[in-house]
């Protein structure tokens, strides 16, 4: 039955009912929030208890980025609530939490034949897709773009109802009342939210709700100095004292544990194993055969892992992944492979003419290596499946698990858990499918919850690495001999990773089938970030799709992680060829981009930039990222030197413009964490494949930075009133080119491949 906004009382959700989510049109959804005793649900986003505690629903995966603080902060500011009374609850899948900006950006992945109809977040197709499929993906820094306004509307609606209730009790106009610190006040009188909530829940919602004129924001202090935030992270105390529960911390009565062994990459089929090796082992509960894996279930995980190893599973393998020729295939593709033009600036096809300078760059495949390996707990009983899982796309994981065990979607319940790191690895849901199948088999004897944990080796083997890439960049220089670039062309050879990952995510396609389905397709997201920020009149970016015989996936920073390295390394090389000082050279080419010039100048002051003169060990890079109308800019100066057979990065200084900053403390953490992640990509994190097996099998083989390797980091934020931009991936993109350019300054050697020492000195 159609339900209008005015036809629903605010507190109707106490006993069930519907809420109305506003998007392109009003659309009704089942109430996603459940009300406990003396709780009143005011919207999909919040409920208020009789004791004044405000519980905020968060539909995004908390994986360290602070989303379980940012969204509650937006609601607290809009409501005028006391931060000490804010609580958080993971939100169940619902169309009310549709991530429309992400659905629009990824429209070519779920609507490959209709991208033009879905490519904007205001388009009906993207909105309907995200709502109907309950798509609330956590990726690409879209959380604020997707959820800031719905959170503000929910908070303003609740605030208005509380204000109306107080005003009626006092007999005063509601516009003379004010909400602050958890009270409604008027000329010395005040009532707590808790005293008003029961009456407020019976009021009709305001239409439209009265939003405050100011957004949630914090003003940065000039320079690197910081000040205590008014909104400390809500998840910090439990993470410090160890009580924060991640996916691997789930404990259920009578739970057993599963360990698994996968076949080599890419296509492997289980053919044999020695079940007698575990016969008589009273700790082993079950042995479960998958088509391409073998699992042992035991009373403890160590016994399960020893059991699956003892059975020595054997696999038939087709199309073995091998990296011996990968780099050459990519380089050959960059030189002469069939290409697709995915980005262009200027109209002059002949602007390049005979290039004056050409350079070749490459990046190896990189593994995600999250601290917590893939972990999921599953319970199958009475035709119902329950999953405790950390997922960046929970409804897609839920649907995949339901399909795997032949259940209707409504018979699968997913309890969202935080992740101990992800870096986009939890967009994949293969472990959820495996856990569902294992739990179903265990239930045939006695229904018991099963916790599947991938070992570190299995995380590297069955996890999907970030794509390798190779680039060829040409430039035509303006006459005059000062190195000014007149035209630029880039050919970037890499698999069409977005189409691969989209087929796995949205169609539940197995990895080799997804790779073949994507083969030869143009993929603009695979070369995202390659369009330079500089005012070069003619620029073209071509994608050369190359099949490298193994699956590839998204990773923090995504294509920016290598395109920023390609572009900023090339710009630095041109500056050096003509004896140009790297900072002034970049500023000269930035044209009207005052925001980036400001970042460069601030970074230079912060790092005490010395011009990058020979053997100074300072290197400079800058980069821009975009999401809709929002833009994030970063300029970075790294100080580095050779040390033994490696490199020591002693200091990283960054100036960042991410528009309006919602939470300064979290923004700083995200930039600092991104820079450390970028350091790992610059110096390690890589793997190759031999005989279908990754050559990096343990964390120790990835050359990840240790605490002793972490440089001094200074971050300066530019105060801005522009639309907010998520800072999580800026640091990951910019660090490698800044370090590479610093090493050139220190050694006179150019490093054109990631990781930087992968080709030796």
């Amino acid at each position: 039955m159609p339900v209008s906004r005015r036809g629903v009382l605010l507190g109707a959700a106490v006993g069930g009912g519907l809420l109305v989510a506003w998007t392109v049109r009003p659309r009704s959804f089942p109430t996603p929030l459940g009300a406990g005793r003396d709780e009143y649900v005011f919207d999909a986003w919040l409920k208020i208890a009789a004791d004044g505690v405000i519980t905020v629903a968060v539909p995004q995966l908390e994986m360290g980025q602070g989303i379980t603080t940012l969204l509650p902060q937006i609601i607290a500011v809009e409501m005028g609530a006391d931060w000490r009374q804010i609580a958080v609850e993971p939100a169940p899948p619902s169309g009310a939490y549709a991530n429309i900006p992400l659905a629009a950006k990824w429209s070519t992945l779920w609507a490959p034949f209709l991208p033009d109809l879905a490519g904007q977040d205001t388009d009906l197709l993207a909105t309907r897709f995200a709502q109907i499929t309950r798509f609330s993906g956590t990726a690409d820094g879209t959380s604020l773009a997707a959820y800031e306004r719905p959170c503000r509307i929910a908070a303003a609606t609740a605030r208005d109802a509380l204000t109306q209730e107080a005003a009626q009790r006092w007999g005063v106009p509601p516009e003379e009342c004010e909400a602050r610190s958890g009270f409604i006040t008027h000329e010395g009188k005040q009532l707590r939210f808790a005293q008003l909530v029961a009456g407020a829940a019976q009021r009709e919602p305001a239409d439209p709700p009265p939003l405050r004129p100011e957004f949630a924001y914090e003003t940065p202090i000039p320079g690197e100095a910081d000040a205590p935030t008014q909104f400390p992270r809500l998840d910090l105390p439990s993470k410090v004292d160890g009580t924060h529960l991640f996916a691997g911390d789930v404990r259920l009565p009578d739970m057993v544990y599963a360990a698994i062994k996968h076949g080599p990459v890419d296509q492997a089929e289980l053919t044999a194993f020695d079940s007698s090796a575990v016969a008589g082992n009273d700790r082993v509960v079950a042995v479960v055969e998958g088509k391409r894996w073998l699992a042992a279930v035991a009373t403890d995980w160590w016994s399960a892992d020893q059991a699956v190893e003892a059975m020595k599973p054997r696999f038939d393998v087709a199309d073995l992944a091998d990296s011996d020729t990968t780099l050459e295939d990519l380089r050959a593709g960059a030189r002469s492979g069939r290409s697709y033009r995915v980005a262009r600036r200027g109209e002059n096809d002949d602007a390049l003419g005979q290039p004056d300078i050409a350079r070749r760059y490459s990046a190896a495949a990189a593994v995600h290596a999250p601290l917590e390996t893939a972990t999921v707990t599953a319970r199958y009983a009475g035709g119902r499946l329950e999953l405790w899982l950390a997922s960046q796309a929970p409804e897609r994981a839920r649907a995949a698990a339901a399909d795997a065990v032949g259940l209707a979607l409504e018979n699968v319940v997913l309890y969202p858990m935080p992740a101990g790191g992800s870096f986009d690895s939890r967009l994949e849901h293969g472990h959820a499918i495996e856990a569902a199948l294992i739990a179903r088999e265990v239930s045939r004897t006695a229904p018991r919850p099963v916790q599947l944990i991938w070992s570190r080796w299995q995380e590297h083997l069955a996890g999907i690495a970030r794509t390798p890439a190779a680039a060829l960049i040409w430039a035509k220089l303006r006459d005059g001999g000062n190195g000014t670039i007149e035209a630029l062309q880039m050919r970037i050879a890499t698999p069409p990773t977005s189409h691969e990952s989209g087929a796995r995510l949205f169609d539940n396609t197995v990895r080799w089938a997804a790779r073949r389905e994507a083969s030869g397709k143009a993929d603009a997201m695979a070369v995202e970030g390659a369009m330079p920020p500089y005012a070069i009149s003619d620029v073209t970016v071509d994608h050369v799709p190359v099949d490298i015989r193994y699956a590839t996936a998204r990773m923090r920073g995504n294509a920016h992680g290598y395109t920023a390295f390609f572009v900023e390394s090339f710009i630095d090389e041109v500056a050096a060829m003509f004896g140009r000082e790297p900072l002034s050279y970049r500023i000269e080419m930035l044209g009207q981009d005052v925001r980036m010039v400001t970042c460069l100048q601030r970074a230079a002051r912060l790092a005490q930039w010395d011009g990058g003169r020979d053997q100074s060990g300072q290197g400079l890079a800058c980069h821009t990222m975009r999401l809709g109308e929002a833009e994030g800019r970063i300029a970075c100066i790294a100080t580095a030197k050779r040390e033994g057979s490696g490199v020591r990065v002693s200091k990283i200084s960054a100036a960042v413009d991410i528009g309006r900053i919602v939470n300064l403390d979290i923004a700083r953490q995200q930039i600092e964490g991104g820079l450390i992640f970028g350091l790992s990509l610059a110096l390690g994190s890589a793997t190759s494949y031999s005989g279908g097996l990754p050559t990096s099998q343990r964390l120790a083989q990835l050359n990840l930075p240790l605490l002793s390797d972490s440089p001094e980091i200074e971050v300066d934020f530019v105060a801005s009133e522009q639309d907010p931009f998520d800072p999580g991936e800026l640091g990951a993109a910019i660090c490698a080119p800044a370090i590479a350019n610093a090493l050139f300054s220190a050694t006179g050697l150019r490093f054109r491949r990631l990781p930087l020492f992968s080709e030796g000195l």
Side-chain angles (χ1 to χ4, degrees):
M1 178 180 70
V3 181
S4 70
R5 184 176 178 88
R6 287 199 173 276
V8 181
L9 291 178
L10 281 171
V14 172
L18 299 172
L19 61 88
V20 178
W22 282 84
T23 48
V24 173
R25 306 173 185 167
R27 184 176 177 86
S28 299
F29 301 98
T31 304
L33 275 183
R37 177 179 295 179
D38 296 327
E39 285 187 329
Y40 300 87
V41 176
F42 278 73
D43 195 273
W45 293 96
L46 66 96
K47 56 186 177 180
I48 306 175
D51 61 2
V53 173
I54 300 169
T55 301
V56 177
V58 177
Q60 298 276 275
L61 173 64
E62 176 59 76
M63 46 189 175
Q65 83 278 36
I67 193 62
T68 50
T69 297
L70 287 173
L71 297 187
Q73 178 183 342
I74 291 166
I75 283 179
V77 169
E78 185 65 45
M79 280 191 71
D82 186 335
W83 187 242
R84 294 169 297 181
Q85 291 187 287
I86 299 293
V88 175
E89 180 176 305
S94 170
Y97 306 123
N99 189 337
I100 298 167
L102 185 60
K105 183 174 182 181
W106 288 3
S107 60
T108 55
L109 309 184
W110 53 264
F113 303 108
L114 301 170
D116 293 336
L117 295 180
Q120 301 295 326
D121 62 4
T122 54
D123 283 342
L124 180 62
L125 185 59
T127 300
R128 285 292 177 259
F129 168 82
Q131 290 177 338
I132 292 170
T133 64
R134 296 183 285 271
F135 179 65
S136 59
T138 308
D140 268 349
T142 54
S143 295
L144 285 176
Y147 301 123
E148 183 177 40
R149 182 167 177 80
C151 282
R152 291 190 69 205
I153 290 174
T157 302
R159 170 171 48 79
D160 180 72
L162 294 165
T163 302
Q164 295 280 356
E165 179 69 16
Q168 182 177 358
R169 293 188 188 184
W170 292 326
V172 300
E175 57 269 18
E176 294 181 4
C177 300
E178 183 181 359
R180 64 169 182 263
S181 301
F183 292 87
I184 304 297
T185 65
H186 179 265
E187 295 181 353
K189 301 183 296 293
Q190 63 179 26
L191 288 169
R192 291 183 292 113
F193 287 180
Q195 296 171 280
L196 299 167
V197 63
Q202 303 305 313
R203 295 184 171 273
E204 289 187 0
D207 187 12
L211 295 174
R212 292 183 185 271
E214 290 187 343
F215 293 83
Y217 73 95
E218 291 187 336
T219 303
I221 298 173
E224 63 164 322
D226 198 5
T229 178
Q230 293 180 310
F231 303 94
R233 289 184 66 139
L234 295 177
D235 57 347
L236 188 60
S238 60
K239 287 182 176 178
V240 170
D241 65 22
T243 60
H244 198 82
L245 296 181
F246 296 96
D249 296 318
V250 172
R251 295 293 182 269
L252 301 174
D254 205 27
M255 189 170 80
V256 290
Y257 300 83
I260 196 166
K261 192 164 185 177
H262 300 89
V265 178
D266 191 25
Q267 295 185 54
E269 187 169 340
L270 180 67
T271 56
F273 60 94
D274 181 12
S275 59
S276 66
V278 298
N281 188 336
D282 57 4
R283 291 188 296 264
V284 176
V285 174
V287 174
V288 182
E289 302 176 50
K291 186 174 183 181
R292 309 184 192 283
W293 47 265
L294 179 69
V297 184
T299 54
D300 61 273
W301 186 85
W302 177 254
S303 296
D305 189 55
Q306 293 297 297
V308 77
E309 288 290 341
M311 288 187 287
K312 294 181 169 55
R314 294 184 291 279
F315 300 87
D316 274 348
V317 183
D319 202 17
L320 274 174
D322 201 309
S323 298
D324 286 346
T325 60
T326 295
L327 180 58
E328 285 309 311
D329 289 344
L330 291 170
R331 286 177 172 173
R335 285 194 304 269
S336 57
R338 181 182 177 184
S339 65
Y340 298 87
R341 185 142 297 168
V342 296
R344 178 175 179 168
R345 181 193 299 157
E347 300 295 333
N348 186 358
D349 289 331
D350 300 321
L352 191 65
Q354 183 65 32
D356 296 309
I357 179 174
R359 291 292 185 270
R360 184 177 65 185
Y361 304 91
S362 61
V367 297
H368 298 81
L371 186 62
E372 182 182 56
T373 61
T375 303
V376 57
T377 302
R379 178 163 56 195
Y380 188 100
R384 177 185 172 94
L385 174 68
E386 296 173 279
L387 297 170
W388 287 260
L389 174 69
S391 174
Q392 292 177 246
E395 190 67 357
R396 307 313 305 161
R398 178 171 167 247
D403 185 61
V405 295
L407 290 178
L409 186 60
E410 58 266 24
N411 292 327
V412 178
V413 179
L414 189 148
Y415 304 101
M417 300 296 298
S422 172
F423 317 122
D424 279 355
S425 63
R426 300 304 169 236
L427 282 168
E428 306 293 334
H429 49 240
H431 57 308
I433 294 173
E434 293 166 355
L437 292 169
I438 293 168
R440 185 183 65 179
E441 292 307 306
V442 169
S443 74
R444 297 187 190 282
T445 53
R448 303 172 71 176
V450 180
Q451 186 171 93
L452 170 65
I453 305 172
W454 287 6
S455 67
R456 179 60 59 183
W457 165 228
Q458 294 303 309
E459 178 78 24
H460 287 193
L461 173 62
I464 307 177
R466 187 201 69 182
T467 181
L472 192 57
I473 306 180
W474 299 271
K476 179 71 174 177
L477 306 179
R478 188 173 300 164
D479 293 339
N482 66 349
T484 301
I485 299 175
E486 192 170 77
L488 188 71
Q489 182 174 351
M490 281 174 276
R491 287 172 55 89
I492 300 176
T494 187
T497 296
S498 297
H499 293 296
E500 286 185 39
S501 57
R504 294 193 301 268
L505 180 64
F506 294 111
D507 301 327
N508 198 25
T509 306
V510 294
R511 62 177 65 185
W512 52 90
R515 177 169 59 85
R516 290 174 180 171
E517 182 181 312
S519 180
K521 289 184 178 180
D523 186 354
M525 282 187 277
V527 296
E528 192 174 18
M531 181 62 70
Y534 306 104
I536 302 170
S537 57
D538 289 279
V539 182
T540 58
V541 178
D542 296 341
H543 174 227
V544 183
V546 177
D547 185 357
I548 59 171
R549 298 179 60 200
Y550 59 85
T552 58
R554 300 175 60 82
M555 177 181 275
R556 184 178 187 179
N558 295 303
H560 295 271
Y562 47 82
T563 57
F565 172 70
F566 298 159
V567 172
E568 283 300 287
S569 295
F570 182 81
I571 294 297
D572 217 66
E573 289 209 49
V574 176
M577 283 180 61
F578 289 87
R580 299 292 302 276
E581 189 271 320
L583 176 64
S584 60
Y585 180 68
R586 284 173 168 83
I587 290 177
E588 179 183 298
M589 289 198 300
L590 280 170
Q592 302 301 312
D593 193 346
V594 177
R595 294 174 67 185
M596 182 61 85
V597 171
T598 300
C599 288
L600 283 165
Q601 291 173 335
R602 287 199 178 195
R605 288 196 296 270
L606 203 61
Q608 298 181 349
W609 171 251
D610 61 2
R613 61 180 184 271
D614 290 346
Q615 298 184 333
S616 73
Q618 285 192 326
L620 173 66
C622 62
H623 191 62
T624 299
M625 301 175 88
R626 296 178 176 85
L627 177 67
E629 297 299 318
E631 296 180 334
R633 291 168 172 80
I634 186 168
C636 179
I637 295 176
T639 303
K641 63 179 180 179
R642 280 182 56 183
E643 188 172 274
S645 59
V647 61
R648 167 69 63 178
V649 181
S650 58
K651 184 177 180 181
I652 299 176
S653 303
V656 184
D657 183 345
I658 54 171
R660 171 171 49 85
I661 300 173
V662 176
N663 187 300
L664 183 60
D665 205 34
I666 290 177
R668 187 176 300 279
Q669 293 167 19
Q670 284 290 283
I671 294 295
E672 291 174 345
L675 290 169
I676 294 295
F677 191 83
L679 176 64
S680 75
L681 293 176
L683 304 179
S685 298
T687 191
S688 57
Y689 293 86
S690 178
L693 303 177
T695 56
S696 298
Q697 302 180 6
R698 297 180 296 121
L699 284 177
Q701 295 175 300
L702 294 177
N703 196 34
L704 299 176
L706 306 175
L707 184 61
S708 59
D709 300 318
S710 298
E712 175 188 356
I713 297 177
E714 298 176 322
V715 180
D716 182 15
F717 287 97
V718 178
S720 174
E721 295 182 358
Q722 299 294 323
D723 290 342
F725 185 86
D726 186 275
E729 299 186 349
L730 283 167
I734 201 62
C735 199
I739 294 173
N741 294 337
L743 287 174
F744 172 74
S745 171
T747 67
L749 299 175
R750 280 290 175 191
F751 295 88
R752 301 189 180 100
R753 186 181 181 192
L754 291 177
L756 295 175
F757 285 82
S758 54
E759 293 181 300
L761 290 173

